[in-house]
Amino acid sequence: MNAQDGGENKKMGVKNGGEKLSSKYKPLVSLMIDNPTISIIEMAQRLEIGTSTIERHLRILRQEGFIEHIGPAKGGRWKVNVQLQSSLLRKHLYS
């Protein structure tokens, strides 16, 4: 990771170890939990933001270990870190 990535990650509220996830990423991660085969274009449409913003967020989430993409670019699926998934679920259930 270069210095620019480190600064971007701090600004975005991402913390190593999967303990902290900025509120701006939560809707994106929730979409992946609900529909693991969702495309970047569909994410952008549903969240009403640009595809380049989605791609930037996905890159950061991958680098920090929150998510991974399994399979080919077309037809693959998203896998969300289990700890993050259960943390988001707990917050949703008890908020």
Side-chain angles (χ1 to χ4, degrees):
M1 179 176 350
N2 61 36
Q4 182 182 4
D5 288 340
E8 186 174 332
N9 289 351
K10 287 180 183 174
K11 181 174 72 178
M12 296 291 200
V14 175
K15 181 179 177 183
N16 287 336
E19 296 299 320
K20 181 179 178 186
L21 181 69
S22 170
S23 61
K24 77 169 60 180
Y25 296 115
K26 290 178 184 177
L28 181 61
V29 173
S30 292
L31 285 176
M32 289 184 274
I33 291 169
D34 292 343
N35 180 4
T37 60
I38 193 167
S39 69
I40 290 172
I41 293 171
E42 189 177 351
M43 288 181 208
Q45 290 170 342
R46 301 255 322 260
L47 297 176
E48 299 179 351
I49 57 179
T51 56
S52 60
T53 301
I54 295 289
E55 289 169 348
R56 183 175 63 250
H57 291 343
L58 292 174
R59 185 185 76 243
I60 292 167
L61 291 168
R62 279 186 193 134
Q63 288 173 346
E64 295 299 321
F66 287 114
I67 63 166
E68 64 180 291
H69 191 264
I70 300 170
K74 291 185 179 182
R77 64 182 176 86
W78 297 103
K79 180 179 177 187
V80 177
N81 175 307
V82 174
Q83 289 176 327
L84 176 62
Q85 200 168 357
S86 61
S87 171
L88 288 173
L89 181 61
R90 276 194 309 272
K91 287 180 183 175
H92 177 72
L93 291 173
Y94 299 111
S95 59

